[in-house]
Amino acid sequence: MNVSTGLRLLPWSDPDGKPCYLASDDGDSPLSRRADAIEAAQVSMGAKLLHHARVLLDAPKADARELRYLADRLCEALRDVLRVAESRGARLPSYDEGDGPTPAGGGCG
């Protein structure tokens, strides 16, 4: 959850391409679990595509059409993985200048 807004960026957009968010305190809700599964699939697909890209780029007979298609898929995968990173980064605990996360109740003592 994004601490400042209380919203989680979801790994999909609305039909107009606008980001979707989840407002929930329950990180184990059905929608949270669905978003986690989709994020995992997106990261996995990106890794597989990266492997495929290396194979295709090493192929001396790869033509411009194949390379253009690969570039489009790589752009899609990068967009998805960057959204996952943004969503997960926003849910990390914030840190003060000290060593650890800020306790829920404020300072210590």
Side-chain angles (χ1 to χ4, degrees):
M1 261 305 192
N2 184 328
V3 176
S4 63
T5 64
L7 300 175
R8 175 186 176 170
L9 177 63
L10 295 172
W12 55 82
S13 302
D14 73 7
D16 295 324
K18 296 178 183 171
C20 295
Y21 295 90
L22 172 64
S24 172
D25 291 334
D26 182 7
D28 197 37
S29 70
L31 190 54
S32 288
R33 289 193 307 272
R34 177 79 172 140
D36 290 343
I38 290 173
E39 286 179 353
Q42 288 173 328
V43 171
S44 176
M45 286 189 302
K48 289 175 186 173
L49 182 60
L50 183 60
H51 173 75
H52 177 71
R54 179 48 44 207
V55 171
L56 185 61
L57 291 171
D58 287 341
K61 294 185 180 184
D63 65 23
R65 181 184 52 82
E66 291 173 305
L67 294 172
R68 190 172 300 111
Y69 183 80
L70 173 64
D72 284 341
R73 302 297 75 79
L74 286 169
C75 286
E76 290 170 0
L78 180 58
R79 179 201 62 218
D80 291 344
V81 171
L82 288 173
R83 181 184 292 248
V84 170
E86 180 182 352
S87 177
R88 291 181 181 181
R91 289 180 276 143
L92 291 174
S94 60
Y95 290 86
D96 287 331
E97 293 188 24
D99 294 331
T102 303
C108 52

